[in-house]
Short mmCIF file of all heavy atoms in Angstrom, two decimals:
data_model
loop_
_atom_site.label_atom_id
_atom_site.label_comp_id
_atom_site.label_asym_id
_atom_site.label_seq_id
_atom_site.Cartn_x
_atom_site.Cartn_y
_atom_site.Cartn_z
N GLY A 152 16.16 23.71 -7.43
CA GLY A 152 16.82 23.18 -6.26
C GLY A 152 15.89 22.52 -5.27
O GLY A 152 15.86 21.30 -5.14
N THR A 153 15.09 23.34 -4.61
CA THR A 153 14.39 22.82 -3.44
C THR A 153 13.19 21.96 -3.79
O THR A 153 12.78 21.11 -3.00
CB THR A 153 13.89 23.98 -2.55
OG1 THR A 153 12.86 24.69 -3.26
CG2 THR A 153 15.01 24.94 -2.21
N ILE A 162 10.79 24.86 5.64
CA ILE A 162 11.91 24.62 6.56
C ILE A 162 12.41 25.92 7.18
O ILE A 162 12.64 26.91 6.47
CB ILE A 162 13.02 23.88 5.80
CG1 ILE A 162 12.48 22.49 5.41
CG2 ILE A 162 14.27 23.72 6.65
CD1 ILE A 162 13.09 21.89 4.22
N ASP A 205 21.29 20.38 -4.20
CA ASP A 205 20.14 20.10 -3.33
C ASP A 205 19.12 19.24 -4.10
O ASP A 205 18.63 18.22 -3.58
CB ASP A 205 19.51 21.42 -2.87
CG ASP A 205 18.39 21.23 -1.86
OD1 ASP A 205 18.41 20.23 -1.12
OD2 ASP A 205 17.49 22.11 -1.81
N ALA A 206 18.83 19.63 -5.34
CA ALA A 206 17.84 18.89 -6.14
C ALA A 206 18.30 17.45 -6.35
O ALA A 206 17.51 16.51 -6.22
CB ALA A 206 17.62 19.59 -7.48
N THR A 208 20.27 15.78 -4.43
CA THR A 208 20.17 15.10 -3.13
C THR A 208 18.74 14.60 -2.90
O THR A 208 18.53 13.49 -2.42
CB THR A 208 20.56 16.06 -1.97
OG1 THR A 208 21.71 16.80 -2.34
CG2 THR A 208 20.82 15.30 -0.70
N HIS A 209 17.74 15.45 -3.24
CA HIS A 209 16.35 15.02 -3.04
C HIS A 209 16.05 13.76 -3.83
O HIS A 209 15.42 12.82 -3.33
CB HIS A 209 15.37 16.13 -3.46
CG HIS A 209 15.51 17.37 -2.64
ND1 HIS A 209 15.14 18.61 -3.09
CD2 HIS A 209 16.00 17.55 -1.39
CE1 HIS A 209 15.40 19.51 -2.17
NE2 HIS A 209 15.92 18.90 -1.12
N LEU A 265 9.95 13.83 -2.87
CA LEU A 265 9.91 14.09 -1.42
C LEU A 265 8.48 14.00 -0.88
O LEU A 265 8.29 13.72 0.31
CB LEU A 265 10.46 15.48 -1.11
CG LEU A 265 11.98 15.65 -1.09
CD1 LEU A 265 12.36 17.12 -0.99
CD2 LEU A 265 12.60 14.88 0.09
N ALA A 270 13.55 12.22 2.73
CA ALA A 270 14.97 12.47 2.51
C ALA A 270 15.72 11.56 3.48
O ALA A 270 15.16 10.58 3.96
CB ALA A 270 15.30 13.94 2.72
N HIS A 274 20.39 15.17 4.48
CA HIS A 274 19.64 16.33 4.99
C HIS A 274 19.73 16.42 6.52
O HIS A 274 19.87 17.50 7.08
CB HIS A 274 18.19 16.27 4.53
CG HIS A 274 17.99 16.89 3.18
ND1 HIS A 274 18.36 16.26 2.02
CD2 HIS A 274 17.49 18.10 2.81
CE1 HIS A 274 18.08 17.06 1.00
NE2 HIS A 274 17.56 18.18 1.44
N TYR A 278 21.34 19.91 8.27
CA TYR A 278 20.55 20.95 8.97
C TYR A 278 21.30 21.62 10.13
O TYR A 278 21.30 22.85 10.22
CB TYR A 278 19.20 20.38 9.43
CG TYR A 278 18.21 20.24 8.31
CD1 TYR A 278 17.22 19.26 8.33
CD2 TYR A 278 18.22 21.11 7.22
CE1 TYR A 278 16.31 19.12 7.30
CE2 TYR A 278 17.31 20.98 6.19
CZ TYR A 278 16.35 19.99 6.23
OH TYR A 278 15.44 19.87 5.22
N HIS A 288 21.68 25.98 2.09
CA HIS A 288 21.21 24.60 2.22
C HIS A 288 21.90 23.64 1.24
O HIS A 288 22.33 22.55 1.62
CB HIS A 288 19.69 24.58 2.04
CG HIS A 288 19.10 23.22 2.03
ND1 HIS A 288 19.11 22.41 3.14
CD2 HIS A 288 18.50 22.52 1.04
CE1 HIS A 288 18.52 21.26 2.84
NE2 HIS A 288 18.15 21.30 1.57
N GLY A 289 22.03 24.04 -0.02
CA GLY A 289 22.65 23.16 -1.01
C GLY A 289 24.11 22.89 -0.68
O GLY A 289 24.63 21.79 -0.89
N ASN A 292 24.32 20.40 2.18
CA ASN A 292 24.11 19.03 1.65
C ASN A 292 25.38 18.52 0.99
O ASN A 292 25.77 17.37 1.20
CB ASN A 292 22.99 19.03 0.61
CG ASN A 292 21.61 18.96 1.25
OD1 ASN A 292 21.46 18.53 2.37
ND2 ASN A 292 20.62 19.40 0.50
FE1 FE2 B 2 16.96 19.96 0.42
#
Side-chain angles (χ1 to χ4, degrees):
T153 68
I162 295 153
D205 186 28
T208 317
H209 297 155
L265 281 171
H274 274 76
Y278 284 150
H288 175 66
N292 278 338

